[in-house]
């Protein structure tokens, strides 16, 4: 295992149009006590090199919790590097200093284009300014790893070239672009989904930006991209869910990627040993022959793709869409 996500809360101070978890200010699922998650860490620790397992706090918005620093410090004392994914709304200078003092290793800030497009997606008038201020603070930090992640959609796709220049001018070195998959709130909003031509435009833009060399840009871990594979990513596609990535969700469910549907959960920390589940119940992620059906049944690229990203399979295990087919019509 190389990455362990902790969905530490389903509470969020935003109400984003594309949220796959449908998070809210007041979530029906209470936050998991940090002590319960640390028991998982203590279960895992004897079986791994802690320095090589990254713990990522996600949500919801992780920073709505007041005990992130306390939990992070416990991880640091156990030798585990840790980081957060944040919308930046609560990342003040004081909070960043507090996180750094607790051993913060990495930060990802979500910024989805310029102010109008970003605030439209995030549905908060201060969201863009807060995310931009967080980025401005991070450009001055030399001891942590950080990047910006952008969800490409119809509202911002044409602005990507100008947005790139703004990020470069601000001193951003690392940038990732994702596309939005139809789950949670995003399932009912067609304007969030790129057309095939727009999707290809995004891949071309990433390829050309990487050649330009002003900023390190890559496409997210969405799916197999055929001939674009070595042009828009640092490594060839693999869905790492259940291979080297796992997650503990807000209700204690043990899964692979936090974006994967509930029917792929393999246990719960309140009834099962995490290590036992990781070692013995993750075959659905590690042998994906079951995915060779539908449009994947006779695909010549299945041995490379293995049925695309696990998060793109519906409740019946059927693939919702194929990136390779989108590119090649």
């Amino acid at each position: 295992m190389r990455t362990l996500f902790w969905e530490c809360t389903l509470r969020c101070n935003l109400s984003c149009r594309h949220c796959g978890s449908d998070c809210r200010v007041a979530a029906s699922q209470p936050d998991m006590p940090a002590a319960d998650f640390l028991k998982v860490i203590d279960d895992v620790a004897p079986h791994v090199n802690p320095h090589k397992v990254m713990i990522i706090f996600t949500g919801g918005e992780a920073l709505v919790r007041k005990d992130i620093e306390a939990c992070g410090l416990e991880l640091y004392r156990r030798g585990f590097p840790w980081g957060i994914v944040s919308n930046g709304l609560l990342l003040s200078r004081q909070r960043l200093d507090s996180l750094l003092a607790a051993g913060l290793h990495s930060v990802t800030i979500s910024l989805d284009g310029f102010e109008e497009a970003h605030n439209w997606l995030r549905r908060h008038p201060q969201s863009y300014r807060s995310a931009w201020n967080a980025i401005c603070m991070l450009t001055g930090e030399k001891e942590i790893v950080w990047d910006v992640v952008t969800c490409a959609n119809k509202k911002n796709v044409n602005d990507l070239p100008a947005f790139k220049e703004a990020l470069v001018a601000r001193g951003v070195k690392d940038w990732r672009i994702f596309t939005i998959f139809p789950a949670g709130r995003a399932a009912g909003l067609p304007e969030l989904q790129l057309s095939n031509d727009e999707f290809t435009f995004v891949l071309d833009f990433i390829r050309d930006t990487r050649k330009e060399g002003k900023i390190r840009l890559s496409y997210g871990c969405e799916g197999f991209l055929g001939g674009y594979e070595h042009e828009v990513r640092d490594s060839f596609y693999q869905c790492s869910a259940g291979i080297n990535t796992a997650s503990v969700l807000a209700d204690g469910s043990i899964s692979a990627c936090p974006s994967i549907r509930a029917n792929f959960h393999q246990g719960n920390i309140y009834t099962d040993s995490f290590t036992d589940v990781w070692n013995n119940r993750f075959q659905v992620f590690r042998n994906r022959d079951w995915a060779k059906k539908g449009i994947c049944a006779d695909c010549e690229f299945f041995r490379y793709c293995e049925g695309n990203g696990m998060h793109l399979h519906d409740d019946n295990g059927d693939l919702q869409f194929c990136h390779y087919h989108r590119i090649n019509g």
Side-chain angles (χ1 to χ4, degrees):
M1 184 166 54
R2 292 290 177 263
T3 305
L4 176 59
F5 288 94
W6 181 30
E7 188 181 60
C8 63
T9 183
L10 288 181
R11 292 182 293 135
C12 189
N13 47 11
L14 298 181
S15 184
C16 303
R17 297 179 190 274
H18 65 304
C19 182
S21 301
D22 198 19
C23 298
R24 302 180 186 278
V25 172
S28 58
Q29 174 64 48
D31 292 352
M32 179 187 296
D36 294 354
F37 179 67
L38 290 171
K39 289 178 182 178
V40 174
I41 296 300
D42 291 338
D43 179 29
V44 169
H47 308 286
V48 301
N49 179 344
H51 303 297
K52 294 184 178 181
V53 179
M54 184 70 184
I55 312 298
I56 300 177
F57 294 71
T58 186
E61 168 56 40
L63 293 183
V64 301
R65 290 188 63 136
K66 305 299 185 184
D67 60 350
I68 291 297
E69 289 89 339
C71 186
L73 188 57
E74 290 300 322
L75 292 173
Y76 178 78
R77 289 170 175 164
R78 290 163 168 79
F80 289 88
W82 64 276
I84 59 170
V85 178
S86 176
N87 59 41
L89 203 61
L90 295 175
L91 195 61
S92 63
R93 180 71 253 179
Q94 182 180 11
R95 191 74 195 270
L96 179 57
D97 288 342
S98 178
L99 293 164
L100 291 169
L104 178 69
H105 182 84
S106 74
V107 181
T108 292
I109 299 294
S110 297
L111 186 65
D112 301 303
F114 293 116
E115 188 166 10
E116 181 180 356
H118 177 88
N119 286 350
W120 173 83
L121 187 64
R122 300 288 168 172
R123 297 203 289 194
H124 192 294
Q126 297 301 316
S127 180
Y128 174 83
R129 181 173 296 182
S130 298
W132 191 253
N133 287 343
I135 289 167
C136 291
M137 285 191 296
L138 289 167
T139 58
E141 297 299 329
K142 307 302 181 185
E143 302 301 320
I144 60 172
V145 176
W146 65 276
D147 66 353
V148 172
V149 63
T150 298
C151 292
N153 59 81
K154 289 184 181 296
K155 292 283 188 179
N156 65 15
V157 64
N158 293 325
D159 290 334
L160 288 177
F163 186 57
K164 174 196 68 177
E165 297 301 333
L167 293 178
V168 171
R170 184 58 265 178
V172 175
K173 303 297 184 183
D174 293 280
W175 183 25
R176 285 179 291 153
I177 289 179
F178 282 79
T179 45
I180 299 171
F181 58 96
R185 296 186 193 127
L189 293 171
E191 62 263 47
L192 295 179
Q193 309 302 319
L194 299 176
S195 68
N196 289 352
D197 287 343
E198 288 168 334
F199 181 64
T200 302
F201 167 81
V202 169
L203 296 181
D204 287 341
F205 168 74
I206 295 172
R207 178 197 62 202
D208 295 343
T209 298
R210 288 168 66 87
K211 289 179 180 178
E212 186 181 45
K214 291 182 180 179
I215 188 171
R216 289 184 291 269
L217 174 60
S218 63
Y219 183 65
C221 55
E222 282 285 295
F224 176 69
L225 301 173
Y228 282 98
E229 274 302 318
H230 290 294
E231 297 184 313
V232 300
R233 291 190 176 109
D234 294 335
S235 58
F236 196 81
Y237 170 74
Q238 181 194 43
C239 177
S240 65
I243 310 299
N244 54 42
T245 299
S247 63
V248 174
L249 304 184
D251 64 353
S253 294
I254 300 170
S255 188
C257 168
S259 298
I260 294 174
R261 293 170 182 270
N263 56 324
F264 287 105
H265 297 172
Q266 301 302 310
N268 192 288
I269 65 166
Y270 293 111
T271 57
D272 304 293
S273 159
F274 179 92
T275 299
D276 178 66
V277 172
W278 173 259
N279 287 335
N280 300 306
R281 300 193 199 174
F282 268 39
Q283 291 311 307
V284 67
F285 304 115
R286 296 166 187 168
N287 182 346
R288 301 189 185 175
D289 288 346
W290 58 267
K292 200 167 187 178
K293 58 183 179 178
I295 62 173
C296 298
D298 300 313
C299 180
E300 61 181 318
F301 294 106
F302 184 84
R303 64 193 178 105
Y304 303 112
C305 174
E306 294 192 319
N308 216 305
M310 286 291 299
H311 66 289
L312 297 176
H313 290 264
D314 65 17
D315 292 334
N316 297 317
D318 296 324
L319 186 64
Q320 298 179 87
F321 61 85
C322 170
H323 292 73
Y324 177 75
H325 283 170
R326 294 181 73 186
I327 298 164
N328 295 278

